[in-house]
């Protein structure tokens, strides 16, 4: 579409494939290294591959995309006729991905706005979808105004980019992510949680509940058994959802037998449920949380006209 607003995100958004296609979102992959082999997330390595590597005690690490990878994405957007790009990424507290995007944006051939969502998974993905929906609406309005008076649609590309960024930021600000892991060891090894916190959890044999706070992964509660932890995760999600319209995602890593029943219970208990997704996290997040992850993302529906 000539003159459209393009959306770029990274592979940790774990967006539904149909949403990526519908909104023409460009997804830049992070990398996962298993031993000495490096793979592109979502293309060359699966969540199950990472789970097996972790279970067999192989060394698994992750890395951000290079600035040149983002530069290529922005050039491709320009070549497709985009008039501007909004590039939305996982928390800068967890990865240098947004920094790499910002470096590339400085020399892009069209205006690029980079947004640090301070989130990850479909918490990030929900922000991307809000931005994409508004971008589509703005593109449609401008297409409909073609040939009309020059002031039929006020502002220009910069004003439209401002609105799309605002939609992404508003959605991100209201979105919460809560999760359960079988062990804190993988988060400790990856430097995503403090060593002291991980050791205390292991010593007490507790099942930790965590959440996204200030762009970081922080402990929320300690529960004694996995079943109680999952029940508490459900209660927290229901409380956070309240009665207003929300989208909910249940994430897991090789734990579909936990995720599907939880999703069904949330479907019954959340009166304002708009959309419900159940998805396995990809290799990058899987490398840091380990098999058995169960997470719930609660994203209030944003009024894009406000």
């Amino acid at each position: 579409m000539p003159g459209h607003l393009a959306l770029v995100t990274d592979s940790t958004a774990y967006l539904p494939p149909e949403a990526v296609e519908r909104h023409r979102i460009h997804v830049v992959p992070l990398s996962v290294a298993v031993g000495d082999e490096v793979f592109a997330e979502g293309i060359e390595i699966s969540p199950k591959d990472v789970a097996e590597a972790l279970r067999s005690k192989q060394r698994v690490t992750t890395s951000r995309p290079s600035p040149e990878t983002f530069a290529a994405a922005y050039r491709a957007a320009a070549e497709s006729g985009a008039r501007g790009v909004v590039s939305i990424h996982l928390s800068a507290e967890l990865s240098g991905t947004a920094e790499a995007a910002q470096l590339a944006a400085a020399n892009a051939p069209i205006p690029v706005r980079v947004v640090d969502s301070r989130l990850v998974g479909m918490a990030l993905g929900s922000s991307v979808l809000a931005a994409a929906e508004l971008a589509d609406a703005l593109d449609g309005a401008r297409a409909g105004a073609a040939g009309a008076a020059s002031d039929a649609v006020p502002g220009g590309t910069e004003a439209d980019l401002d609105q799309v960024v605002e939609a992404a930021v508003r959605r991100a600000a209201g979105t919460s992510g809560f999760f359960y892991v079988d062990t804190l060891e993988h988060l400790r090894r990856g430097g995503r949680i403090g060593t002291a916190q991980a050791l205390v959890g292991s010593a007490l044999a507790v099942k930790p509940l965590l959440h996204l706070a200030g762009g970081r992964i922080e402990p929320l509660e300690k529960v004694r058994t996995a079943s109680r932890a999952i029940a508490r995760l459900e209660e927290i999600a229901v409380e956070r959802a309240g009665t207003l319209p929300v989208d909910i995602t249940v994430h897991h890593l090789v734990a579909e037998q936990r995720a599907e029943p939880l999703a069904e219970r949330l479907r019954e208990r959340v009166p304002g449920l708009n959309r419900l997704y159940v998805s396995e996290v990809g290799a990058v997040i899987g490398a840091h949380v380990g098999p058995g992850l169960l997470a719930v993302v609660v994203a209030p529906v944003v009024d894009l006209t406000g």
Side-chain angles (χ1 to χ4, degrees):
M1 178 191 299
H4 65 285
L5 297 174
L7 266 292
V8 174
T9 189
D10 60 74
S11 57
T12 68
Y14 305 134
L15 289 162
E18 60 273 17
V20 172
E21 182 177 357
R22 180 170 67 252
H23 297 294
R24 305 175 305 281
I25 299 168
H26 187 104
V27 179
V28 176
L30 275 73
S31 297
V32 180
V34 179
D36 295 327
E37 293 188 81
V38 180
F39 307 93
E41 181 178 40
I43 301 171
E44 301 170 330
I45 188 169
S46 72
K48 291 179 176 60
D49 293 333
V50 164
E52 288 302 318
L54 293 172
R55 285 169 173 159
S56 61
K57 307 298 183 183
Q58 296 183 67
R59 182 173 58 88
V60 181
T61 58
T62 62
S63 58
R64 73 178 192 180
S66 68
E68 177 50 39
T69 302
F70 281 111
Y74 302 151
R75 287 195 299 269
E79 290 165 5
S80 74
R83 56 194 171 98
V85 175
V86 177
S87 197
I88 308 170
H89 301 289
L90 80 157
S91 175
E93 296 285 345
L94 302 175
S95 168
T97 299
E99 179 186 22
Q102 194 67 61
L103 290 170
N107 296 306
I110 54 177
V112 176
R113 302 288 180 83
V114 176
V115 178
D116 170 10
S117 72
R118 301 182 69 77
L119 301 168
V120 72
M122 265 299 286
L124 160 61
S126 67
S127 180
V128 175
L129 290 179
E133 288 163 6
L134 181 56
D136 287 351
L138 291 171
D139 288 341
R142 291 203 176 274
S150 60
D151 60 352
V153 180
T157 294
E158 295 292 341
D160 286 353
L161 289 173
D162 286 343
Q163 290 186 64
V164 173
V165 167
E166 181 183 0
V169 171
R170 284 173 56 203
R171 190 89 193 272
T175 297
S176 302
F178 308 97
F179 58 107
Y180 159 81
V181 291
D182 281 331
T183 173
L184 292 171
E185 182 61 17
H186 302 297
L187 285 165
R188 183 195 66 79
R189 288 179 183 173
R192 266 61 181 187
I193 197 167
T195 300
Q197 294 169 339
L199 291 175
V200 168
S202 299
L204 298 177
V206 298
K207 295 298 182 181
L209 290 177
L210 304 105
H211 67 144
L212 293 166
R216 299 184 60 82
I217 295 170
E218 299 287 353
L220 181 63
E221 296 181 8
K222 297 173 183 177
V223 186
R224 284 293 181 182
T225 67
S227 60
R228 288 181 181 176
I230 293 169
R232 182 60 185 139
L233 183 66
E234 177 182 338
E235 292 300 325
I236 291 170
V238 170
E239 291 167 7
R240 181 67 184 86
T243 59
L244 296 177
V246 293
D247 293 336
I248 288 180
T249 301
V250 177
H251 279 311
H252 69 95
L253 180 61
V254 292
E256 189 173 8
Q257 75 284 358
R258 287 174 168 173
E260 291 288 354
L262 174 58
E264 286 308 308
R265 293 194 299 272
L266 291 172
R267 189 188 301 278
E268 294 171 359
R269 297 189 62 190
V270 177
L273 184 62
N274 179 46
R275 289 178 289 194
L276 176 66
Y277 304 101
V278 179
S279 71
E280 193 165 37
V281 297
V284 167
I285 299 306
H288 293 290
V289 296
L293 164 79
L294 195 59
V296 180
V297 172
V298 180
V301 175
V302 174
D303 178 8
L304 299 178
T305 65

